[in-house]
Amino acid sequence: KQWYQRRVAITAGEKEGLLDLAWERQQAKTFTAWCNSHLRKLGIHIDSVAQDFRSGVNLVKLLEVISGGEIARLETGKMRIHKVNNVKKALDFVASKGVNLIGIGAEEIVDGNLKMTLGMIWTIILRFAIQDISVEEMSAKEGLLLWCQKKTAPYKNVNVTNFHTSFKDGLAFCALIHRHRPDLIDYNHLRKENAVYNLQYAFEVAEKELDIPIMLDANDIASTMRPDERAIMTYVSSYYHAFASSQQASQAANRICKVLNVNQENETLMEDYEALASGLLEWIEHMIPWIDQMREQRASSISEVKARLEEFRTYRLTVKPPKTEEKRKKYRLRLCVDTTA
């Protein structure tokens, strides 16, 4: 019995160790891909967060890209002290943004300590990619989870309650894409048991159509008992920001279209106004000689008086009313133009 209890304890410990290694591997892959998704804007590519941030140069450049700010001037020397100072500048910048970096020192990053480097990158991801997410008064992790739940609620076989096992079969990723871009995913043909296929399908579509780099390994996620929460959160946050940016662009485009439509309507109104005004002026210029003649020339006979009265009656009842209505319409058009301008 004692042997059995010891064996169970050892097995549990082995499982924890294996999980730690799996999570570490998943984080390293995801965090490296996440960093590259930002560093590519500067034409920079890294292969390993543990190795390629040791000089502090790429780390500073990453922070400048994602924050839009500028960090103190880098030291160009190759000695350890120069690297430590560069990393310290990066860590001081992160701390200035309200991030608690207890236990993470510049020396560990320069030495290539993987656990410390992953911890540092995670705090950066939390601060710059997740902290500002807000959905119905929920923020950061809770806000991102609520967003996933709301977007995937109508989908069969999807129940997002966490950022690990809820995403193992890949359907949650496919549902998120389909909800925003139904033209990209054939969701009805997906099967829950085809986890690797679903994951790879979502990853490839997101990379090709949404410009979201592949940050996870489909086989790794499907085969791990409990995928790493930080890795999943990081990748899902990229979906959130991609679709939020798309929605903002769509809203901006709609606003531009409305402005263009208003301008087009104004141009049409102005054209109508100018056409009416021009027509009225031509008519007035045409009528002035006739009115002057009616006023200045006296009739020489009763029949001529009757003819002029009939002519004036025709003018008053038939010719003038439509021109008076055109004049009113001209004023209404001008008022519309002045109101919408």
Side-chain angles (χ1 to χ4, degrees):
K1 185 177 179 180
Q2 288 179 345
W3 173 85
Y4 174 75
Q5 289 175 336
R6 282 200 307 273
R7 182 61 199 153
V8 169
I10 292 170
T11 302
E14 288 173 348
K15 276 188 175 181
E16 286 296 322
L18 289 172
L19 276 178
D20 285 344
L21 289 173
W23 292 345
E24 193 173 274
R25 184 175 64 251
Q26 289 170 11
Q27 281 186 29
K29 177 181 176 63
T30 302
F31 293 178
T32 300
W34 182 86
C35 291
N36 279 326
S37 72
H38 295 283
L39 287 171
R40 64 181 176 177
K41 299 169 187 175
L42 301 177
I44 298 172
H45 178 87
I46 64 171
D47 296 314
S48 164
V49 289
Q51 298 301 316
D52 295 330
F53 285 145
R54 292 179 65 182
S55 70
V57 175
N58 288 333
L59 180 58
V60 167
K61 291 185 180 299
L62 172 68
L63 289 169
E64 289 181 338
V65 169
I66 61 178
S67 70
E70 191 171 334
I71 302 176
R73 187 175 178 181
L74 291 168
E75 296 185 16
T76 57
K78 303 295 183 181
M79 295 176 64
R80 176 181 173 81
I81 186 62
H82 299 131
K83 297 177 181 180
V84 170
N85 288 339
N86 286 337
V87 173
K88 278 195 67 177
K89 289 174 183 178
L91 296 181
D92 289 344
F93 178 79
V94 174
S96 72
K97 299 298 181 181
V99 178
N100 192 340
L101 290 169
I102 292 178
I104 300 176
E107 289 79 7
E108 287 84 3
I109 306 302
V110 172
D111 291 336
N113 185 310
L114 180 59
K115 285 186 180 295
M116 287 295 179
T117 303
L118 292 176
M120 175 192 68
I121 298 299
W122 174 239
T123 61
I124 292 172
I125 292 171
L126 273 179
R127 172 60 184 83
F128 294 101
I130 297 175
Q131 179 177 303
D132 293 334
I133 292 174
S134 180
V135 180
E136 294 184 4
E137 299 183 358
M138 304 290 282
S139 60
K141 177 182 176 181
E142 290 75 19
L144 185 60
L145 184 63
L146 179 60
W147 178 77
C148 292
Q149 291 169 340
K150 289 172 68 68
K151 295 300 181 181
T152 60
Y155 290 85
K156 182 181 177 182
N157 293 325
V158 179
N159 181 28
V160 179
T161 59
N162 55 55
F163 286 110
H164 37 82
T165 53
S166 294
F167 287 86
K168 269 192 68 171
D169 58 23
L171 290 179
F173 291 119
C174 292
L176 286 173
I177 296 173
H178 185 269
R179 183 62 183 272
H180 295 89
R181 289 289 305 275
D183 57 308
L184 299 181
I185 293 282
D186 187 2
Y187 188 84
N188 292 329
H189 286 79
L190 300 176
R191 296 291 176 265
K192 188 176 180 68
E193 58 270 18
N194 298 334
V196 174
Y197 172 82
N198 299 337
L199 288 162
Q200 195 62 38
Y201 183 35
F203 298 165
E204 290 177 359
V205 169
E207 181 181 45
K208 181 180 178 181
E209 304 293 342
L210 305 173
D211 199 29
I212 300 174
I214 296 177
M215 301 184 187
L216 303 169
D217 182 274
N219 288 293
D220 202 11
I221 298 300
S223 62
T224 304
M225 182 173 63
R226 187 177 184 271
D228 180 64
E229 182 180 66
R230 294 180 177 183
I232 299 291
M233 279 181 67
T234 300
Y235 186 56
V236 173
S237 73
S238 296
Y239 279 51
Y240 174 87
H241 290 295
F243 292 128
S245 298
S246 176
Q247 185 176 359
Q248 289 169 0
S250 177
Q251 291 172 345
N254 288 336
R255 285 195 293 269
I256 291 171
C257 285
K258 287 180 181 178
V259 171
L260 291 175
N261 287 336
V262 169
N263 288 340
Q264 190 172 4
E265 288 173 5
N266 280 348
E267 288 178 4
T268 302
L269 289 173
M270 281 299 298
E271 288 172 1
D272 292 344
Y273 172 82
E274 289 171 358
L276 274 175
S278 178
L280 282 170
L281 284 173
E282 288 180 5
W283 177 77
I284 291 170
E285 289 174 359
H286 173 73
M287 293 302 296
I288 286 174
W290 177 79
I291 293 171
D292 290 342
Q293 182 183 4
M294 291 284 286
R295 187 176 63 246
E296 294 172 359
Q297 291 183 3
R298 293 184 180 183
S300 58
S301 64
I302 294 297
S303 60
E304 190 177 348
V305 169
K306 288 181 178 180
R308 288 192 178 185
L309 284 173
E310 183 60 30
E311 191 178 356
F312 182 76
R313 185 172 179 274
T314 301
Y315 162 77
R316 185 170 60 84
L317 298 177
T318 306
V319 178
K320 185 178 178 181
K323 296 302 178 182
T324 303
E325 180 56 33
E326 285 184 14
K327 183 179 178 182
R328 293 195 189 101
K329 186 178 179 181
K330 178 175 74 73
Y331 285 131
R332 288 196 296 270
L333 285 171
R334 184 67 197 186
L335 182 61
C336 287
V337 170
D338 291 341
T339 302
T340 58

